[in-house]
């Protein structure tokens, strides 16, 4: 039984950091009222965390390869716990957004080390089983978030969606310190600070451009300035990584078609499966009048199916062609999204989300564990943090870009959606169902 303690420690951290991607979605209306926030501010409560996680996880992986995966993971747990406390105590929207960004920093340190820690702790079929369980937790966590958020928001207050992280962090920290493998950090390595900074700023500019477009429209000069800056900075990042002796990301990996395919699959999986959840929650509460718990429970079929499929597939599909597994998972996500888009029409109620959500859960359960296993198999063990960071960067950028891009569609379908109070006003949001339908189709 003790051999599974490292897996438990890693899964606790994964559960927390992924739950916090979506846990705030059902609390958005309450936050708007309590914090007197605008639609843009509400988007940033979601996106500040996803953006920080996406922008920093690649750099965190490079740091972990230099200083050690266990140390990086445990420091990430501490940062995540302290920033969760700050989120719960935040007196206003700006403070909450800042604390959410700090949460993303801690989450990046945890997320970037998960694959390397599992590879160091397990081998053979045990490794396949560990990836399966981790994938089950990972795939189900984001869908569990709305349910947990609804229970806490409706039963206590939205502040407790952050306070609940504290006891879980304490268990993860204690268990991880005792059982996680220490590993062997690279000797004499130097952190690519320039690459970390340039990539983080580039990701920030790109996501800001999408969020700004939701409020000001695509004709806004600031939108195009931010998008142009992102493009220039990404080109600069490639130059920096090409010239530095110890790059944060080895560009030679981009010549490996299998690795590139894993990166694209991670981005598309998260964009399609999880980004539409935020707008589904707004639609369920503001249009259909469901409470936070009721809205959150609509995601339960997806969560349960993802958990079961991933837990079973990890050991059962060990040694099978991973490309077929990942491709099959993405196909299921696409089919589930199409089913949702067809069923959510006119006077459709919450049951219209269930069939498509279940099919999406199958896809998430198949693809999630395979992504990590394939990425780690393509690089040396000493570069595990970089590989994990690259895959998880694409996954979180998929969510951050998805939230921003679908926000543009959602706001465009709502009269007054570009004004500050469009989402807070239930009457105004009732018209946003058209935007919600398009968001579901794009997802």
């Amino acid at each position: 039984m003790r051999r599974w303690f490292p897996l438990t420690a890693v899964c606790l951290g994964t559960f927390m950091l992924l739950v916090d991607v979506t846990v705030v979605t059902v609390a958005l209306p309450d936050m708007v009222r309590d914090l007197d926030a605008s639609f843009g501010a509400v988007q940033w409560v979601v996106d500040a965390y996803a953006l920080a996680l996406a922008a920093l996880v690649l750099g965190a992986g490079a740091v972990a390869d230099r200083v050690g995966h266990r140390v990086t993971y445990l420091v990430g747990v501490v940062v995540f716990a302290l920033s969760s406390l700050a989120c719960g105590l935040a007196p206003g929207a700006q403070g909450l957004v800042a604390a959410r960004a700090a949460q993303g920093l801690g989450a990046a340190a945890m997320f970037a080390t998960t694959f390397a820690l599992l590879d160091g702790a397990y081998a053979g079929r045990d490794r396949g089983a560990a990836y399966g369980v981790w994938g089950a937790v990972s795939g189900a966590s984001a869908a569990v978030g709305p349910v947990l958020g609804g229970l806490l928001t409706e039963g206590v207050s939205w502040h407790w969606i952050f306070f609940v992280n504290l006891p879980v962090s304490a268990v993860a920290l204690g268990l991880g310190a005792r059982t996680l493998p220490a590993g062997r950090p690279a000797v004499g390595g130097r952190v690519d600070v320039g690459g970390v900074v340039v990539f983080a700023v580039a990701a920030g500019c790109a996501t800001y451009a999408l969020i700004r477009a939701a409020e000001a429209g695509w004709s806004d000069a600031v939108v195009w300035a931010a998008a142009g800056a992102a493009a220039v900075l990404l080109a600069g990042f490639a130059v920096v990584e090409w010239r530095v002796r110890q790059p944060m990301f080895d560009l030679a990996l981009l010549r490996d078609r299998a690795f590139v395919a894993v990166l694209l699959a991670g981005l598309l999986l998260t964009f399609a499966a999880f980004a539409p959840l935020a707008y589904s929650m707004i639609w369920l509460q503001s249009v259909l009048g469901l409470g936070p718990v009721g809205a959150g429970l609509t995601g339960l079929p997806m969560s349960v199916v993802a958990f079961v499929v991933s837990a079973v597939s990890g050991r059962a599909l060990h040694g099978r062609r991973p490309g077929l597994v990942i491709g099959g998972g993405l196909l299921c996500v696409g089919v589930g999204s199409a089913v949702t888009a067809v069923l959510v029409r006119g006077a459709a109620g919450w049951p219209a989300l269930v069939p498509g959500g279940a099919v999406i859960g199958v896809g998430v359960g198949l693809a999630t564990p395979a992504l990590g296993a394939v990425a780690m198999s393509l690089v040396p063990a000493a570069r595990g943090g970089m590989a994990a960071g690259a895959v998880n960067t694409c996954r979180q950028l998929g969510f951050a870009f998805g939230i921003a891009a679908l926000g543009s569609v959602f706001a465009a379908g709502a009269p007054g959606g570009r004004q500050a109070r469009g989402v807070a006003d239930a009457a105004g949001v009732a018209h946003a169902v058209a935007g919600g339908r398009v968001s579901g189709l794009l997802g």
Side-chain angles (χ1 to χ4, degrees):
M1 187 65 183
R2 289 180 59 86
R3 66 174 176 164
W4 300 115
F5 283 174
L7 174 62
T8 303
V10 170
C11 285
L12 284 173
T14 300
F15 178 78
M16 284 191 303
L17 74 90
L18 291 180
V19 161
D20 270 49
V21 174
T22 57
V23 72
V24 300
T25 54
V26 294
L28 295 181
D30 283 36
M31 289 180 179
V32 167
R33 290 190 295 268
D34 290 354
L35 301 177
D36 192 28
S38 67
F39 180 50
V42 166
Q43 274 196 305
W44 274 109
V45 170
V46 177
D47 251 341
Y49 179 80
L51 173 58
L53 178 55
L56 299 174
V57 69
L58 184 57
V63 171
D65 287 340
R66 303 293 188 271
V67 305
H69 300 123
R70 182 176 67 176
V71 171
T72 304
Y73 180 83
L74 296 178
V75 170
V77 173
V78 172
V79 172
F80 189 86
L82 294 176
S83 54
S84 295
L85 178 62
C87 286
L89 298 175
Q94 291 183 339
L96 178 57
V97 169
R100 286 281 284 170
Q103 260 194 320
L105 171 61
M110 291 190 285
F111 213 17
T113 54
T114 51
F115 299 158
L117 290 171
L118 292 179
D119 266 27
Y122 303 102
R125 293 186 70 84
D126 280 351
R127 182 178 292 173
Y131 270 108
V133 173
W134 178 87
V137 173
S138 177
S141 293
V144 167
V147 180
L148 180 62
L151 290 170
L152 292 172
T153 300
E154 195 169 295
V156 191
S157 76
W158 65 263
H159 301 275
W160 281 89
I161 65 179
F162 303 112
F163 291 150
V164 75
N165 290 328
L166 300 179
V168 180
S169 295
V171 175
L173 186 63
L175 197 59
R178 290 171 61 91
T179 65
L180 288 175
R184 294 182 179 179
V187 178
R190 300 178 63 182
V191 177
D192 178 16
V193 177
V196 172
V197 172
V198 173
F199 183 82
V201 177
C205 288
T207 305
Y208 176 77
L210 290 168
I211 292 176
R212 172 85 181 185
E215 299 179 332
W218 287 100
S219 61
D220 183 63
V222 177
V223 171
W224 289 103
V232 172
L233 286 166
L234 284 175
F237 172 73
V239 173
V240 170
E241 299 306 281
W242 185 262
R243 301 185 63 175
V244 72
R245 293 183 59 185
Q246 295 174 321
M248 177 180 78
F249 179 73
D250 186 356
L251 295 178
L253 284 173
L254 297 180
R255 293 198 290 266
D256 187 333
R257 290 186 297 176
F259 193 80
V260 172
V262 169
L263 297 183
L264 290 175
L267 188 147
L268 293 173
L269 176 69
T270 312
F271 186 114
F274 299 116
L277 283 176
Y279 301 102
S280 296
M281 293 301 110
I282 294 174
W283 173 63
L284 289 167
Q285 293 182 78
S286 299
V287 178
L288 300 187
L290 270 64
V293 174
L297 286 173
T298 62
L300 194 58
M302 173 182 170
S303 175
V304 171
V305 171
F307 186 91
V308 172
V309 170
S310 190
V312 172
S313 66
R315 183 181 289 270
L317 297 179
H318 179 69
R320 302 294 178 89
R321 292 181 60 184
L324 293 178
V325 178
I326 296 173
L330 290 175
L331 178 62
C332 288
V333 172
V335 170
S337 299
V339 169
T340 301
V342 170
L343 294 180
V344 179
R345 295 184 177 184
W350 64 265
L353 298 175
V354 174
V359 178
I360 291 172
V362 174
V364 170
L366 286 173
T368 300
L371 286 173
V374 173
M376 293 300 295
S377 71
L378 297 174
V379 300
R383 308 304 297 275
M386 181 193 67
V391 174
N392 290 326
T393 292
C394 286
R395 289 184 62 186
Q396 297 314 307
L397 280 176
F399 184 80
F401 289 172
I403 288 290
L406 299 184
S408 298
V409 177
F410 192 91
R418 294 177 185 171
Q419 278 73 45
R421 306 298 170 190
V423 172
D425 182 0
V429 178
H431 298 286
V433 65
R437 285 200 300 271
V438 180
S439 296
L441 179 61
L442 291 177

